[in-house]
Amino acid sequence: MNHRKKPEQEARKPSLVPPYLAGLLSLVVPGLGQFLARTYRRGAILLGSFISLVGLMIWRIQLAGKRVEGALEIIQKAYRLRPILIVLTVLMVIFYLWIAYDAYLMAKRTRGTPLGLIFMVLIIFFIMGWQIGDINPVALVTDLDEAAGPLSEVLWPWERAVTYPEEEIIAIMPIQVPCTESDPPDVPDYGEGEPRLEAEPRCGQLSEQGGETGTKITLHGENYLPGKTVNILWEDPIGNEFRARQGGEYVKVVPDENGEFTIDIVLPYRLLPPSATEPSYIWDLKARQVTSLGAAQASKELKLAIEKIIETIFIGMMATFFGVIIALPVSFLAARNLMSANKFTLIIYYIARGVMNIVRSIEPLIWAVIALIVVGLGPFAGIIALTIHSIAALGKLYSEAIESIDPGPIEAVQATGANWAQTIMYGVVPQIIPPFVSFTIYRWDINIRMSTIIGMVGGGGIGFLLIQWMRLLDYKAAGIAIWFITITVAILDYVSAEIRERFV
Amino acid sequence: MLEVKNLTKVYDDGTVALKNISFTVEDGEFLIIIGLSGSGKSTLLRCVNRLIDPTEGDIIWDGVNLAKLEGEELRKARRQIGMIFQHFNLVRRSSVMTNVLSGRLGYSPTFQTMMHQFKESDREKAWQALERLGIEDQAFKRADELSGGQQQRVGIARALMQDPELILADEPVASLDPVLAHSILTYLERLNQEDEMTIVCSLHYLDLVQRYSTRVLGLREGEIVYRGTREEIRAMTDEEFQEIYGEQAQRVTGGLEGNLDEFGLGE
């Protein structure tokens, strides 16, 4: 109460300087006039605000006016590139003059509220923050359509969750290159109803670079699936498979309703190695159709996401489990009412509290990075990180629950003639069990939420998949991971709230 | 018979709470101890059942010096002494039934009570106690769901479970409104008259003291400054009462007494 009256008491004493001088002095050093008018706090606040604002202005102007020499040039460039700095400068000048005027008023003992000045400072800081934060709401609107694609994929990724098994329909026709006296190789024995190929001719000359085109082969196929693209491929004598290309395009053909097609294929250009001394070689001409058949199956991504979300839940669970086991005894050491018996126990109390505060202020992600160094990538690192954080957080909450025990019931139970164990069981335990259970479930909830992102640094769980798919721009797969995380967290949130409500 | 001889209590911080106090409580008495907050009432009551260890002096109960008891013997002695508290001291999150049953802990084997198992006869007894206090329909509610008056009745039920011969009541009505105060004290009066339990009770208000006490002790700064019989206290004026207190004393009801019959609480 007393300190609130101070400014008025200050104001009652006469100013050390006449009003005009106070104003002038505040022009020299903003706030000095207020000091001499014995409004010390006001002077200090104004001086502090002014100095920090000027400092920030200099920084921003230097940053905007890079790569030019001379103060004037820097300022010019900065103003040109960032017109908002001009507004800030104007406001700063107004602020500067206002401080001087305020000093004049203070010295004159006019009772004025500092609200106007405070508002001024807030506005300048706000605009400064806008500039420093590079805030650009226009980008939110203009670039939104670019995000629409990935966003819609994330929001509805489920096409990626299923795959259909693929079947390959293929037939092979051997072609003799070049034609020789001997007969071309036998036509393979295609099975009844199996895809089959006929070629005419069945031998020929390869294309030459910049020279003659190779022999044209008329390829006829049967027993293919109607309406589905058939790709034509070559396999050269040394086993390299490549797609046939004509006029810069891959050769493909769509069979008619009977599953038949006919297409002309030109023998490709290939360099023959010097060791190719045989009079002729056999090239394979292949016509391949890939089709998806049968019922939908869970995709690889879906399976991975399920595996990893289970891993995530268990990381959170194990971390909570270890956290509770270690936090329980620690919390007793950190409960002031139990530890204030003598100096020694009080020191233990301060150490326990201090360590827990420090550990708790370091984010689990950082603990995970440290744990990675020790135990390597994987869920164990995540468990260690979350356990460490849980011990500190739970230890504090538990110890506070112990500290808030009501001694009344303990006294009452003792008064009935109960022994020590009975007193603990009936006087102490009922008081600490509900908060302990509540905090533990809350922590479990937090740990599972944390374990979804601990994977981002390699601590196991679904976070690893998420960050990996995001980086591969596979937004649908990432969407699956995000859906799983959201559903898991939502369910947990509900369950933990329910359980806690029952208990407390 | 409870005999307190030369009882002195000095706390660790040097506060002298009781100075060489001696008095006797005959069986079947309703002794009321009056005095300001900090006059030593609570300390005195807690010394009797050794929730607080006295510094000096003897407390003879049924020929046993309570002040010298330790361990098992102390617990056995405590079983005979019920206690009722200003703030009820119920385990708020436990059920009413559990709170009442905990009054039986001194008579029950440790292991079974750890499993929350009580004898069937104990449960029957708990029901009777709850019925007697008119709160049997609250048995499975959590203690903190009950109103203040109901909670204090649970507190009395818990004390009844001990089959006490002596009941210590530490300002049992200080947290309650006047009507409830009368209601609670009426229950204590019945225990005193019907069950012949000895009652030592600390109170603040003169009209309650006049109405319920058979004898009165006045405490001020750890010393007995007044001893009065039933007749003397009934004849006492507010001015004399204030003298004992040394300060402003209050009546709790201020004209309410005439209406007590409406609540079924009149004598």
Side-chain angles (χ1 to χ4, degrees):
Chain A
M1 274 313 202
N2 268 334
H3 64 275
R4 285 192 179 277
K5 285 185 182 159
K6 235 178 164 182
E8 289 173 28
Q9 285 164 357
E10 284 170 8
R12 263 180 238 122
K13 288 185 205 157
S15 169
L16 294 172
V17 287
Y20 70 90
L21 190 56
L24 277 179
L25 284 170
S26 259
L27 284 180
V28 181
V29 180
L32 182 59
Q34 279 87 345
F35 262 108
L36 293 173
R38 290 182 193 259
T39 47
Y40 303 112
R41 206 168 358 156
R42 198 172 182 130
I45 290 171
L46 288 174
L47 180 63
S49 317
F50 191 79
I51 289 177
S52 41
L53 282 171
V54 166
L56 288 168
M57 279 293 285
I58 292 173
W59 170 50
R60 291 318 285 183
I61 287 177
Q62 279 183 343
L63 209 62
K66 263 185 291 193
R67 285 186 291 277
V68 281
E69 292 292 315
L72 212 64
E73 280 77 7
I74 290 176
I75 293 173
Q76 269 181 354
K77 187 180 179 190
Y79 283 172
R80 201 176 61 245
L81 290 177
R82 303 271 174 168
I84 203 169
L85 288 172
I86 301 175
V87 179
L88 273 172
T89 311
V90 172
L91 286 171
M92 283 297 292
V93 171
I94 298 174
F95 182 49
Y96 169 69
L97 294 174
W98 196 340
I99 293 175
Y101 178 61
D102 185 68
Y104 170 79
L105 287 180
M106 286 300 109
K108 247 181 93 181
R109 286 288 170 267
T110 312
R111 185 136 317 156
T113 68
L115 274 182
L117 273 169
I118 291 173
F119 195 60
M120 185 85 201
V121 172
L122 284 181
I123 285 181
I124 298 177
F125 267 111
F126 181 79
I127 297 174
M128 193 79 85
W130 191 280
Q131 211 266 322
I132 293 174
D134 219 357
I135 293 174
N136 183 12
V138 181
L140 267 181
V141 182
T142 53
D143 300 344
L144 193 60
D145 53 332
E146 281 178 32
L151 197 60
S152 67
E153 287 181 26
V154 167
L155 287 179
W156 198 253
W158 299 114
E159 293 153 36
R160 199 83 163 74
V162 291
T163 52
Y164 297 88
E166 288 186 334
E167 196 185 322
E168 202 174 54
I169 298 170
I170 189 164
I172 299 168
M173 171 59 69
I175 304 290
Q176 188 190 36
V177 178
C179 294
T180 55
E181 316 266 290
S182 57
D183 287 333
D186 291 336
V187 176
D189 190 14
Y190 301 112
E192 190 66 30
E194 296 285 308
R196 55 184 293 127
L197 291 176
E198 288 164 22
E200 188 55 46
R202 293 183 41 228
C203 67
Q205 209 68 35
L206 288 176
S207 301
E208 286 170 26
Q209 182 157 43
E212 290 188 24
T213 50
T215 312
K216 185 190 280 180
I217 295 170
T218 306
L219 187 69
H220 178 72
E222 288 173 17
N223 292 337
Y224 279 84
L225 283 174
K228 295 241 178 190
T229 305
V230 175
N231 289 314
I232 308 297
L233 303 100
W234 286 102
E235 187 179 324
D236 70 17
I238 53 172
N240 291 323
E241 194 184 79
F242 58 96
R243 292 183 70 177
R245 219 188 249 267
Q246 258 158 245
E249 304 252 329
Y250 287 127
V251 182
K252 47 191 171 186
V253 61
V254 179
D256 61 16
E257 65 270 21
N258 300 322
E260 294 180 19
F261 65 86
T262 305
I263 187 170
D264 290 341
I265 313 285
V266 176
L267 275 170
Y269 163 72
R270 276 258 139 161
L271 262 182
L272 288 177
S275 57
T277 52
E278 302 271 329
S280 74
Y281 288 94
I282 304 299
W283 287 54
D284 282 340
L285 184 56
K286 301 174 174 181
R288 185 162 69 189
Q289 206 176 25
V290 176
T291 176
S292 47
L293 290 169
Q297 289 181 345
S299 69
K300 195 179 70 198
E301 286 77 14
L302 182 70
K303 285 182 192 156
L304 256 178
I306 292 174
E307 264 174 40
K308 288 292 170 180
I309 196 79
I310 293 172
E311 188 178 292
T312 300
I313 293 171
F314 276 92
I315 289 173
M317 202 189 78
M318 292 312 284
T320 314
F321 183 72
F322 292 133
V324 168
I325 287 182
I326 303 172
L328 271 176
V330 172
S331 66
F332 284 87
L333 298 181
R336 205 191 169 102
N337 54 348
L338 302 182
M339 299 301 285
S340 54
N342 58 49
K343 281 225 175 68
F344 178 68
T345 53
L346 209 57
I347 287 171
I348 295 178
Y349 160 80
Y350 281 118
I351 292 174
R353 270 290 158 105
V355 170
M356 286 199 303
N357 284 339
I358 294 167
V359 169
R360 204 154 32 87
S361 61
I362 300 172
E363 279 292 307
L365 276 181
I366 295 163
W367 284 118
V369 173
I370 296 169
L372 283 176
I373 302 167
V374 185
V375 300
L377 286 170
F380 187 41
I383 292 175
I384 291 176
L386 289 172
T387 302
I388 291 174
H389 202 257
S390 295
I391 293 169
L394 280 178
K396 180 177 191 292
L397 291 172
Y398 285 173
S399 58
E400 277 167 8
I402 296 171
E403 281 173 4
S404 66
I405 280 185
D406 177 7
I410 300 170
E411 191 183 48
V413 173
Q414 272 177 348
T416 66
N419 59 28
W420 182 83
Q422 289 170 327
T423 308
I424 296 291
M425 194 65 190
Y426 284 81
V428 179
V429 171
Q431 290 195 66
I432 57 172
I433 283 280
F436 272 36
V437 169
S438 166
F439 291 142
T440 306
I441 288 168
Y442 182 53
R443 193 64 221 176
W444 179 52
D445 185 0
I446 292 176
N447 276 345
I448 287 178
R449 253 182 292 156
M450 282 304 304
S451 63
T452 58
I453 57 166
I454 209 126
M456 291 185 181
V457 295
I462 201 164
F464 179 68
L465 284 182
L466 178 60
I467 199 87
Q468 179 188 317
W469 283 332
M470 290 290 256
R471 284 183 181 149
L472 292 170
L473 308 183
D474 190 348
Y475 291 115
K476 283 206 170 131
I480 293 175
I482 290 173
W483 268 88
F484 272 120
I485 292 173
T486 313
I487 293 170
T488 311
V489 170
I491 291 175
L492 243 127
D493 216 48
Y494 175 76
V495 171
S496 101
E498 278 291 299
I499 299 178
R500 276 186 291 147
E501 198 160 308
R502 298 266 160 86
F503 260 94
V504 184
Chain B
M1 192 175 77
L2 177 70
E3 218 179 332
V4 175
K5 289 184 196 161
N6 307 104
L7 186 65
T8 298
K9 172 65 190 175
V10 183
Y11 284 106
D12 289 341
D13 61 1
T15 314
V16 183
L18 298 173
K19 291 177 200 159
N20 201 23
I21 283 185
S22 301
F23 63 90
T24 310
V25 188
E26 299 294 334
D27 286 347
E29 268 197 291
F30 197 129
L31 175 76
I32 291 186
I33 300 171
I34 55 175
L36 284 173
S37 301
S39 59
K41 303 191 299 286
S42 292
T43 306
L44 175 56
L45 290 173
R46 280 170 173 70
C47 279
V48 173
N49 67 354
R50 292 285 302 284
L51 288 178
I52 293 174
D53 289 331
T55 314
E56 266 174 55
D58 299 312
I59 301 156
I60 318 287
W61 166 252
D62 277 349
V64 181
N65 189 351
L66 295 177
K68 299 282 182 281
L69 290 184
E70 286 302 331
E72 193 61 35
E73 287 181 329
L74 174 61
R75 286 199 293 278
K76 286 231 165 86
R78 275 180 179 164
R79 297 195 308 204
Q80 317 286 324
I81 305 170
M83 189 155 189
I84 297 163
F85 301 85
Q86 174 181 356
H87 299 294
F88 325 133
N89 288 1
L90 304 179
V91 179
R92 300 167 55 79
R93 284 169 173 134
S94 295
S95 71
V96 167
M97 195 60 174
T98 306
N99 270 291
V100 174
L101 281 171
S102 71
R104 205 66 194 160
L105 286 173
Y107 294 93
S108 308
T110 308
F111 182 74
Q112 280 170 27
T113 50
M114 291 295 114
M115 307 286 116
H116 278 264
Q117 284 176 353
F118 286 88
K119 286 194 219 83
E120 202 44 53
S121 58
D122 288 348
R123 288 184 182 276
E124 187 52 42
K125 198 174 173 60
W127 280 112
Q128 281 168 7
L130 287 171
E131 254 168 61
R132 187 163 180 191
L133 289 148
I135 44 171
E136 68 273 20
D137 49 340
Q138 318 284 340
F140 297 112
K141 283 191 183 166
R142 268 168 50 154
D144 57 1
E145 290 173 25
L146 270 56
S147 68
Q150 288 172 325
Q151 289 193 35
Q152 191 58 295
R153 286 194 251 170
V154 177
I156 297 176
R158 177 174 60 192
L160 281 181
M161 292 296 285
Q162 295 171 237
D163 289 325
E165 290 163 40
L166 171 67
I167 287 186
L168 306 171
D170 182 19
E171 300 198 22
V173 299
S175 310
L176 302 173
D177 66 43
V179 179
L180 288 171
H182 274 290
S183 153
I184 293 299
L185 283 171
T186 309
Y187 281 118
L188 289 184
E189 192 174 43
R190 280 188 200 147
L191 295 183
N192 178 240
Q193 287 169 2
E194 295 168 15
D195 302 49
E196 290 166 0
M197 292 180 192
T198 310
I199 292 179
V200 180
C201 173
S202 62
L203 277 182
H204 262 311
Y205 305 112
L206 175 60
D207 42 1
L208 295 179
V209 176
Q210 286 175 328
R211 189 180 163 120
Y212 295 101
S213 66
T214 60
R215 209 151 60 79
V216 176
L217 287 182
L219 270 188
R220 190 163 69 209
E221 288 167 10
E223 287 174 295
I224 296 180
V225 293
Y226 176 82
R227 291 169 198 262
T229 62
R230 188 183 173 90
E231 288 67 36
E232 283 166 342
I233 193 78
R234 261 153 232 232
M236 189 184 255
T237 61
D238 281 6
E239 286 70 33
E240 288 169 298
F241 189 60
Q242 279 170 23
E243 226 176 275
I244 300 167
Y245 266 73
E247 267 183 57
Q248 195 66 37
Q250 313 141 287
R251 276 178 180 270
V252 64
T253 44
L256 187 75
E257 254 172 299
N259 298 327
L260 280 178
D261 288 332
E262 282 178 34
F263 301 97
L265 299 169
E267 274 176 289

